[in-house]
Amino acid sequence: GAGVSQSPSNKVTEKGKDVELRCDPISGHTALYWYRQSLGQGLEFLIYFQGNSAPDKSGLPSDRFSAERTGGSVSTLTIQRTQQEDSAVYLCASSFKTGYYEQYFGPGTRLTVT
Amino acid sequence: KQEVTQIPAALSVPEGENLVLNCSFTDSAIYNLQWFRQDPGKGLTSLLLIQSSQREQTSGRLNASLDKSSGRSTLYIAASQPGDSATYLCAVRRDGANNLFFGTGTRLTVIP
């Protein structure tokens, strides 16, 4: 079946602009995660959604970052007033449920802030 | 805070060799551990998932072991092939946490 998909695959934006990154999880997966991979920091957790529960936002680095998940499926990560340090690969993952289950990752969105 | 370390950072081996990648974590209160591979410019591909109650998992030429009490996991790759060249990442899910904590990765090169 189809895996996790993300769009766009690459995004170049000017400092100060807002960007939206999209994630389509595997059908039937109730848990969805956003991570960020940057050269200096490795892979770090951003936010987690599970069904209709309140999201775990503990990894968001600043209030410029937000995410939503509509209808328990597609998720959008929004970065407002982008900064150069936001440049990274943003990875989305999903799992059947939380806890016991494997996380499956999408191909990522490479964000470059100029 | 959970810290995950992978040694070595890079490894080159000739084709056909067996090899072991190491992963250590500081907090042994983990729920499970997952090994991934990442090819350049790509996302992560899940290889093996080991629950905290398990000692090992096998998939084809791959075998992952887990020693929770000592905070260690190893990924054994048998009869390595050039197609195995990639960065290998281990990640742990701590008890009570929703997310994975990732290691820094081991970049493997298998020389034909």
Side-chain angles (χ1 to χ4, degrees):
Chain A
V4 178
S5 61
Q6 293 185 245
S7 61
S9 55
N10 281 284
K11 176 72 175 178
V12 180
T13 190
E14 292 180 355
K15 178 181 172 181
K17 300 280 190 184
D18 298 352
V19 295
E20 285 189 352
L21 312 179
R22 177 188 168 103
C23 171
D24 278 278
I26 293 172
S27 178
H29 281 193
T30 62
L32 186 147
Y33 311 78
W34 283 97
Y35 294 86
R36 177 170 72 173
Q37 187 173 32
S38 53
L39 280 176
Q41 301 297 324
L43 250 156
E44 54 182 348
F45 165 72
L46 296 176
I47 189 169
Y48 157 80
F49 296 89
Q50 170 59 51
N52 295 320
S53 302
D56 175 357
K57 305 179 183 178
S58 60
L60 295 179
S62 79
D63 58 7
R64 296 185 295 105
F65 288 71
S66 63
E68 63 177 21
R69 189 177 184 192
T70 54
S73 181
V74 171
S75 177
T76 302
L77 177 69
T78 301
I79 309 173
Q80 295 179 310
R81 305 180 303 282
T82 52
Q83 303 294 313
Q84 288 188 327
E85 60 262 29
D86 299 334
S87 296
V89 176
Y90 290 81
L91 292 162
C92 175
S94 71
S95 63
F96 178 59
K97 292 179 184 179
T98 193
Y100 180 86
Y101 301 92
E102 284 179 85
Q103 293 186 26
Y104 295 91
F105 281 74
T109 294
R110 180 174 297 277
L111 175 66
T112 303
V113 182
T114 61
Chain B
K1 180 184 174 183
Q2 178 72 270
E3 292 185 6
V4 184
T5 305
Q6 291 186 247
I7 295 173
L11 178 65
S12 290
V13 300
E15 181 177 2
E17 269 203 8
N18 303 324
L19 61 100
V20 174
L21 307 180
N22 297 292
C23 172
S24 61
F25 44 94
T26 54
D27 185 349
S28 62
I30 66 167
Y31 196 85
N32 55 37
L33 182 147
Q34 200 167 347
W35 281 95
F36 297 88
R37 69 173 279 168
Q38 186 174 31
D39 295 281
K42 306 287 186 182
L44 277 63
T45 301
S46 178
L47 298 174
L48 289 163
L49 172 69
I50 310 179
Q51 303 301 335
S52 61
S53 59
Q54 297 175 322
R55 288 297 188 105
E56 64 180 301
Q57 283 285 344
T58 298
S59 176
R61 295 183 293 108
L62 305 180
N63 176 279
S65 68
L66 175 63
D67 184 341
K68 183 179 166 183
S69 60
S70 68
R72 294 175 189 270
S73 175
T74 62
L75 179 66
Y76 175 83
I77 302 177
S80 58
Q81 303 171 358
D84 295 331
S85 297
T87 296
Y88 290 79
L89 294 157
C90 74
V92 300
R93 179 159 179 232
R94 208 177 65 206
D95 281 343
N98 298 311
N99 57 290
L100 293 172
F101 289 85
F102 281 85
T104 47
T106 295
R107 184 182 300 173
L108 173 66
T109 302
V110 180
I111 304 164

